[in-house]
Amino acid sequence: MDAAQKLRAEIEARRDDLVALTQDLIRIPTLNPPGENYREICDYLDRRLLRAGFHTELIRAKGAIGDSDRHPRWNIVARREGARAGQCVHFNSHIDVVEVGHGWTVDPFGGAVNEGRVYGRGACDMKGGLAASIVAAEAFIAVCPDHAGAIEISGTADEESGGFGGVAYLAEQGYFDPGRVQHVIIPEPLNKDRICLGHRGVWWAEIETKGEIAHGSMPFLGDCAVRHMGAVVAEMEASLFPALAEKRTDMPVVPDGARQSTLNINSIHGGEPEQAADYTGLPSPCVPDRCRMVIDRRFLIEEDIGAVEAEIREVLERVRAGRETFDYDLRELHRVLPSMTDRDAPVVGAVAKAIGATLGRDPDYVVSPGTYDQKHIDRIGRLKNCIAYGPGILDLAHKPDEYVGIDDMVQSAQVMALALKDLLAG
């Protein structure tokens, strides 16, 4: 057998270990928010990677957004040097998972195996990918012990809430400096035959409309901020949403509906604060003098971030022109510029070649509708040679009865190992 055949066979022989590793990771409930059990999963990964010959660092993102003494933001970075000098391939996976939600028919943290699938919160997004990258690296080391360069594996915090206590912090500390790391693969669940080159941009903002409080029996003596916000929503429906639907991108965004600009209204709240669940009284009769809306605007690489903000402000000014007492504040909450790696980048070519050898077909090249940690590797780390590739079906992320296919994990691990061979073993 040649090296490629040996690698595929080695990973197939580790199938049971791959499943068990995925189950173990799922059984550590790393819920974010608030950020539970980060140290526990990093300690688990530390023990595993030390046995494989990696040098490990556990790094707390002290002072980062989300970090606190109650919920410290722990990350692990593991590095194994090869037999001689060469480049470094880094596999980055986030360790946090979103809330469980309702509608599960299995234990969300049980790691149940049924009909070739491992079930649990984070199975798809993205503990199956983390496990596949570890098994791929271990198999590659066993088959190609004299490889050049270095392999790194990281487990990082808070990707689901922006990544500031994880990859952003590590990038600020130089862990993704191009002089240290040359290739990055993020095993997000974009399907085993797809290479994800990047993501759309995002602009989050809060709109607050202002009014005047008065007795609810005499609303004419006040000014209802909720009605003002209703006028904002109506203007968005009439002018903004149709305009966004006309904006299309050449980026290969999936699914097709995300190839246009989009706006989501995340939340609207006006009037009195909601009372605790055990409060049994009625609300007081007041005209609401404040109403807040949080918007999530996803934009395309062809769009300018200044124009994105200007579109929202134009909506608000049109409403102001038609409502005598209308007043508002607009506050930016978060911005991420679009990111897209060139198709001729070295890591893209290596993974594409490995997909062809493993699956017998050329990959699809896609762009994610939402952002992930590539944004920090690109913008802070200044490392462009980065993609997302991993097992799992993107549509299952954050859903009840989330799962990852065992065959998909095995084949994705084979792709990752073959990519390592191409990049480090020649």
Side-chain angles (χ1 to χ4, degrees):
M1 286 192 290
D2 62 17
Q5 292 171 319
K6 289 179 181 178
L7 279 172
R8 287 194 288 268
E10 182 70 23
I11 289 170
E12 183 60 48
R14 295 170 185 248
R15 175 183 288 261
D16 290 346
D17 178 46
L18 176 54
V19 171
L21 175 56
T22 305
Q23 290 177 297
D24 285 349
L25 295 172
I26 291 168
R27 289 166 181 162
I28 303 173
T30 47
L31 286 165
N32 177 32
E36 296 177 353
N37 300 307
Y38 285 179
R39 182 58 189 253
E40 182 180 347
I41 198 167
C42 285
D43 285 341
Y44 176 92
L45 293 168
D46 185 51
R47 293 189 296 270
R48 170 82 184 214
L49 293 167
L50 282 172
R51 288 198 302 269
F54 284 80
H55 169 75
T56 61
E57 293 181 80
L58 269 65
I59 303 154
R60 178 179 171 182
K62 191 77 173 177
I65 295 173
D67 179 70
S68 67
D69 289 338
R70 184 176 180 185
H71 294 108
R73 267 41 193 173
W74 284 102
N75 303 273
I76 184 171
V77 178
R79 183 179 178 100
R80 191 183 191 281
E81 299 289 348
R84 59 191 187 279
Q87 297 190 332
C88 175
V89 179
H90 184 116
F91 293 96
N92 165 250
S93 299
H94 66 83
I95 56 175
D96 59 319
V97 302
V98 298
E99 65 173 308
V100 171
H102 301 285
W104 287 76
T105 63
V106 296
D107 180 355
F109 297 111
V113 174
N114 186 32
E115 295 184 349
R117 301 168 174 175
V118 184
Y119 285 83
R121 175 55 82 224
C124 167
D125 184 19
M126 57 180 296
K127 291 179 176 178
L130 171 56
S133 69
I134 292 171
V135 169
E138 291 173 346
F140 173 74
I141 292 164
V143 173
C144 305
D146 61 344
H147 70 85
I151 302 169
E152 287 190 346
I153 295 173
S154 62
T156 51
D158 283 8
E159 188 274 344
E160 298 290 3
S161 56
F164 300 103
V167 169
Y169 182 85
L170 295 179
E172 290 165 356
Q173 306 305 310
Y175 282 88
F176 292 99
D177 188 285
R180 183 180 187 276
V181 174
Q182 287 71 51
H183 313 273
V184 177
I185 298 171
I186 303 176
E188 289 277 8
L190 273 301
N191 298 15
K192 64 186 178 183
D193 57 352
R194 287 174 168 177
I195 295 174
C196 184
L197 302 173
H199 51 72
R200 294 190 298 174
V202 57
W203 188 68
W204 279 37
E206 181 183 74
I207 300 167
E208 183 177 45
T209 52
K210 302 175 183 182
E212 183 179 353
I213 194 168
H215 198 290
S217 69
M218 297 174 287
F220 46 84
L221 297 180
D223 189 16
C224 181
V226 172
R227 289 181 64 186
H228 286 318
M229 190 63 80
V232 173
V233 174
E235 179 61 30
M236 287 179 170
E237 292 285 357
S239 64
L240 183 59
F241 283 108
L244 295 182
E246 295 298 316
K247 297 176 186 280
R248 301 286 293 180
T249 183
D250 290 331
M251 301 172 79
V253 186
V254 291
D256 185 67
R259 295 195 70 173
Q260 68 175 53
S261 297
T262 59
L263 175 71
N264 180 55
I265 298 174
N266 275 38
S267 63
I268 297 179
H269 182 82
E272 301 168 37
E274 298 216 9
Q275 301 298 323
D278 59 354
Y279 177 73
T280 60
L282 296 172
S284 57
C286 293
V287 174
D289 63 358
R290 290 293 184 273
C291 186
R292 295 186 308 279
M293 174 198 294
V294 174
I295 59 172
D296 176 356
R297 170 76 159 84
R298 303 294 168 134
F299 63 99
L300 313 173
I301 205 165
E302 295 88 352
E303 295 183 90
D304 176 74
I305 181 66
V308 168
E309 179 179 355
E311 283 180 328
I312 300 300
R313 199 169 292 278
E314 287 166 7
V315 165
L316 295 168
E317 289 300 320
R318 284 196 294 272
V319 175
R320 188 202 294 273
R323 297 180 73 84
E324 183 177 350
T325 60
F326 181 80
D327 193 15
Y328 71 89
D329 284 328
L330 176 62
R331 182 168 67 94
E332 178 179 294
L333 301 177
H334 181 50
R335 67 164 60 190
V336 174
L337 297 179
S339 178
M340 193 163 75
T341 298
D342 292 338
R343 274 185 57 165
D344 59 358
V347 72
V348 176
V351 173
K353 180 180 174 182
I355 289 173
T358 303
L359 303 179
R361 59 183 180 272
D362 292 334
D364 291 328
Y365 297 91
V366 301
V367 166
S368 174
T371 69
Y372 55 95
D373 278 332
Q374 183 169 337
K375 58 183 178 282
H376 300 309
I377 294 167
D378 179 359
R379 304 297 177 185
I380 302 174
R382 302 179 306 281
L383 177 58
K384 300 292 185 181
N385 191 34
C386 174
I387 60 167
Y389 171 77
I393 300 169
L394 181 62
D395 294 356
L396 298 175
H398 301 195
K399 296 280 286 182
D401 286 352
E402 179 185 349
Y403 69 83
V404 62
I406 295 171
D407 287 343
D408 288 352
M409 285 197 296
V410 169
Q411 290 179 317
S412 290
Q414 290 171 332
V415 168
M416 294 176 195
L418 289 177
L420 283 172
K421 183 184 79 68
D422 191 57
L423 294 167
L424 301 182

